Amino acid sequence: MKRVFSRKTKGGGVRFGRKHGLAAVVCLTALALCLVACAPAAAPQADGSGATPVAETGEDGGADGGQSFSTAADFTEHSTGLYPDIQRNAEFQNSGNRGCAACHDDLFTLDKNNGSFVHITNQVGMKKGTYNGDCVVCHFSKAGTAGNIMSENIHVRHYGSTEFVNANGNCWSCHVTDTDDEGNIVMKLFEDIQYDARYGGYPNEDEVDIDWLTRHGWDEGTFSGVVRLAEPQVSFEVDQNASAEEAEFNILNFERIDGNDTYDALEKSVADGSYRLKVTGVGKSGEYTIDDLKAMPQTEFTAAQMCLVAGYNTAMLDNMPMKGVRLADFIEAVGGVDAGVNTITPVACDGWTAIFPGGSTDLQAYLDNDAVIVLEAYGHDLSIYQGGPVKIFVPGTGGTATVRNLVGLDFSQTDNPPSYSDVAAGLLEVNKTINLDTSWFDNDGVQGKVGEPLVMEGAAWGWTFGEDFKYEVDKILVSFDYGKNWVEVDSPDSFDPYQWTHFTMTWTPDKAGTYVVKAKAVSKDGVEQGKDANIIVQVSE
């Protein structure tokens, strides 16, 4: 039986219904401005060829340890990187030798090859290369069970690295100096300023600044030479197409418990038919096979999945078509919950439960937000990496409410059961999570040519659950001049709030140069995305 969700709109109409981090990077610490203290102790040794030797970092983390996941540059050799080839970018900014991307092709690949440490992310979405924004959200000051604070680890790791030392790395390889509202000098990550007007020395770049720059020969009105366009000739198409399966985002929870790979055991139980979902606290408590679950009323839907603590312009997202049993229908099929039950505890094979390990959550919140016990994706049974053989999914939320690789569902009575809404609200208050976001599907360095159409894709989405999280996407804003002017792209009222708003932008550039293109979402309540999603585009003649 095929079923669809319905959700009331503000006008009383009905709309029809809509995963998780990586190696952390340097945290935003305030460091002393002392190059001597920051400089590596060892000097690079010449090999007689005139080139500075750079060691390859292998899987064991040491020099020449095997597969390389880094391409370290020499910080003393000036490079403009993706920015215009001018003196300012080479000698005063050295922009090509700064930031994570100067040495690491992709932080996800770096993380997956990081010796004995196994990160929970199995595959990032859209085949993007991840960046530090997907790391610092969890690891800047540790959010819940998100791992340790990585600033100490990353600093020591770099300054204890032969590769970093041989590349003449120092504090400015990763950081920039800036001033706060009181005029104090502070340290930030290079990625925090490289896409903004602050890059190149003018934090405001108002009309007075731009006039000064143009009168002194900076024709683009920026020190960096980045081309500004107040009125770009662009066109947009929007849809809610599902993401391709090969571009999906998936994650495991803890991967290994007590040295055992619980996922291997779970996969084996599916293959030999011994898998059972243990259900307690209902009229027909017991163990249920996958066939038992498939015999219950089925619902098909598509929904956006994103990590609860994904960064802006994240790669940790997709829009997946799924099929399964609505939680409300499941409860009815198993005889209803016992008297007084107000709590649900989904249990994964590795011990993860709702919200936090060992935790439970408010049952009514799951029911109110259309929770589904998912059995299929893309027309086939869920794989282990997709959360199979069974996962519980709450549309419109970050990934915390979703428990994957289920082996149990416990319904019980608890005094004031916690809700994932409470967790999300707390994290939002301290900027540990993002409720409205946009992502480009490309990485920095998109190539275009003058006079030829350039097509770029992206998607925006927002949390849509409970009374406090109504961030349904109303429009997407795109800017080619550091946010001074924006092109508005509407997300139709007919769109399902549980899915993303996918957009395709077509732009035929008429001038060669380097462009920084910004995008951000705006909710139907007028809330703007907190930080722009940025991408660098290079246009040649």
Side-chain angles (χ1 to χ4, degrees):
M1 173 177 163
K2 180 175 179 179
R3 303 184 59 176
V4 293
F5 296 130
S6 66
R7 165 162 284 209
K8 296 240 182 202
T9 66
K10 291 182 180 177
V14 173
R15 293 200 188 142
F16 292 101
R18 229 168 348 176
K19 216 162 128 210
H20 285 28
L22 309 174
V25 294
V26 185
C27 110
L28 309 180
T29 49
L31 303 176
L33 301 182
C34 180
L35 281 169
V36 175
C38 289
Q45 301 298 312
D47 62 4
S49 65
T52 302
V54 177
E56 290 188 344
T57 303
E59 292 183 354
D60 64 355
D64 299 320
Q67 179 179 352
S68 173
F69 47 71
S70 297
T71 53
D74 185 343
F75 191 70
T76 62
E77 295 181 2
H78 297 156
S79 169
T80 59
L82 295 176
Y83 291 91
D85 188 16
I86 59 176
Q87 182 190 28
R88 186 79 187 186
N89 295 329
E91 297 180 11
F92 290 89
Q93 287 290 344
N94 200 3
S95 55
N97 284 325
R98 303 179 72 183
C100 300
C103 293
H104 303 296
D105 294 330
D106 173 31
L107 292 182
F108 174 70
T109 303
L110 165 72
D111 179 67
K112 296 302 288 186
N113 290 295
N114 201 3
S116 61
F117 174 75
V118 179
H119 201 277
I120 60 177
T121 304
N122 178 64
Q123 177 176 300
V124 292
M126 306 304 112
K127 299 184 177 179
K128 288 181 62 173
T130 56
Y131 79 116
N132 64 14
D134 283 326
C135 308
V136 297
V137 181
C138 278
H139 295 285
F140 170 50
S141 59
K142 190 178 187 299
T145 59
N148 61 354
I149 300 171
M150 291 296 292
S151 56
E152 170 75 1
N153 303 33
I154 294 299
H155 282 105
V156 173
R157 171 85 172 204
H158 281 77
Y159 281 100
S161 163
T162 301
E163 183 176 20
F164 191 69
V165 170
N166 285 349
N168 294 298
N170 58 50
C171 295
W172 273 256
S173 302
C174 305
H175 290 283
V176 295
T177 54
D178 204 351
T179 54
D180 60 20
D181 292 339
E182 286 73 43
N184 300 310
I185 295 178
V186 295
M187 298 290 281
K188 296 181 179 179
L189 291 174
F190 177 70
E191 288 86 349
D192 288 336
I193 65 96
Q194 69 165 320
Y195 303 105
D196 297 324
R198 162 66 177 85
Y199 174 76
Y202 270 81
N204 300 317
E205 292 225 358
D206 55 22
E207 293 300 329
V208 175
D209 291 341
I210 295 172
D211 179 66
W212 186 95
L213 287 166
T214 54
R215 284 190 292 111
H216 286 75
W218 300 93
D219 295 335
E220 305 302 341
T222 62
F223 267 130
S224 62
V226 168
V227 180
R228 297 173 181 263
L229 283 181
E231 298 180 352
Q233 300 303 303
V234 291
S235 61
F236 289 86
E237 294 182 0
V238 295
D239 58 61
Q240 293 196 304
N241 294 340
S243 50
E245 184 168 7
E246 61 269 19
E248 72 181 13
F249 161 65
N250 55 56
I251 194 168
L252 302 177
N253 290 325
F254 292 122
E255 183 111 19
R256 294 180 175 86
I257 301 294
D258 298 328
N260 298 314
D261 192 332
T262 59
Y263 293 92
D264 283 347
L266 180 63
E267 202 163 25
K268 182 177 181 297
S269 74
V270 174
D272 64 20
S274 62
Y275 171 82
R276 300 292 185 273
L277 177 68
K278 184 178 181 181
V279 183
T280 60
V282 297
K284 300 177 183 178
S285 294
E287 296 183 342
Y288 291 81
T289 66
I290 295 174
D291 287 340
D292 292 334
L293 298 174
K294 288 186 175 182
M296 298 176 185
Q298 299 293 295
T299 295
E300 295 185 52
F301 66 103
T302 299
Q305 300 186 118
M306 75 292 294
C307 181
L308 179 73
V309 287
Y312 290 109
N313 199 19
T314 183
M316 295 192 286
L317 81 156
D318 61 33
N319 201 44
M320 179 181 284
M322 291 175 271
K323 182 179 180 180
V325 189
R326 291 178 66 239
L327 181 59
D329 293 336
F330 173 82
I331 290 174
E332 182 178 345
V334 296
V337 296
D338 293 344
V341 163
N342 62 354
T343 304
I344 182 173
T345 307
V347 182
C349 68
D350 57 8
W352 181 269
T353 61
I355 303 179
F356 297 119
S360 56
T361 191
D362 177 42
L363 173 59
Q364 194 59 48
Y366 270 53
L367 293 171
D368 289 345
N369 290 282
D370 297 323
V372 182
I373 298 172
V374 179
L375 306 171
E376 298 181 15
Y378 296 101
H380 59 75
D381 291 347
L382 291 177
S383 70
I384 295 300
Y385 289 105
Q386 291 170 328
V390 180
K391 71 179 178 182
I392 189 166
F393 178 77
V394 183
T397 73
T400 299
T402 293
V403 180
R404 302 153 50 80
N405 312 112
L406 281 182
V407 294
L409 282 173
D410 176 41
F411 296 90
S412 60
Q413 183 175 4
T414 307
D415 292 335
N416 300 315
S419 170
Y420 62 86
S421 298
D422 300 329
V423 174
L427 291 173
L428 278 175
E429 288 177 1
V430 292
N431 298 317
K432 292 295 185 300
T433 192
I434 296 165
N435 55 328
L436 189 64
D437 202 355
T438 306
S439 286
W440 294 101
F441 290 174
D442 295 291
N443 300 308
D444 280 339
V446 172
Q447 299 293 307
K449 288 189 175 183
V450 171
E452 296 183 6
L454 175 62
V455 178
M456 297 170 60
E457 293 182 76
W461 69 98
W463 292 355
T464 55
F465 62 91
E467 291 301 314
D468 298 324
F469 298 95
K470 297 181 178 179
Y471 298 102
E472 183 178 349
V473 175
D474 180 52
K475 62 185 65 177
I476 301 165
L477 306 181
V478 177
S479 175
F480 282 68
D481 63 354
Y482 286 123
K484 183 178 179 181
N485 295 282
W486 296 91
V487 178
E488 292 191 1
V489 185
D490 289 330
S491 180
D493 287 341
S494 59
F495 274 15
D496 173 12
Y498 286 151
Q499 298 190 50
W500 66 18
T501 295
H502 169 256
F503 64 90
T504 303
M505 181 182 79
T506 302
W507 170 45
T508 303
D510 58 10
K511 182 176 182 178
T514 300
Y515 297 78
V516 174
V517 186
K518 293 177 170 290
K520 63 180 177 181
V522 181
S523 77
K524 292 193 181 300
D525 288 338
V527 177
E528 289 193 5
Q529 180 177 317
K531 187 176 181 180
D532 306 333
N534 303 285
I535 190 166
I536 298 173
V537 181
Q538 295 176 314
V539 176
S540 59
E541 294 289 355

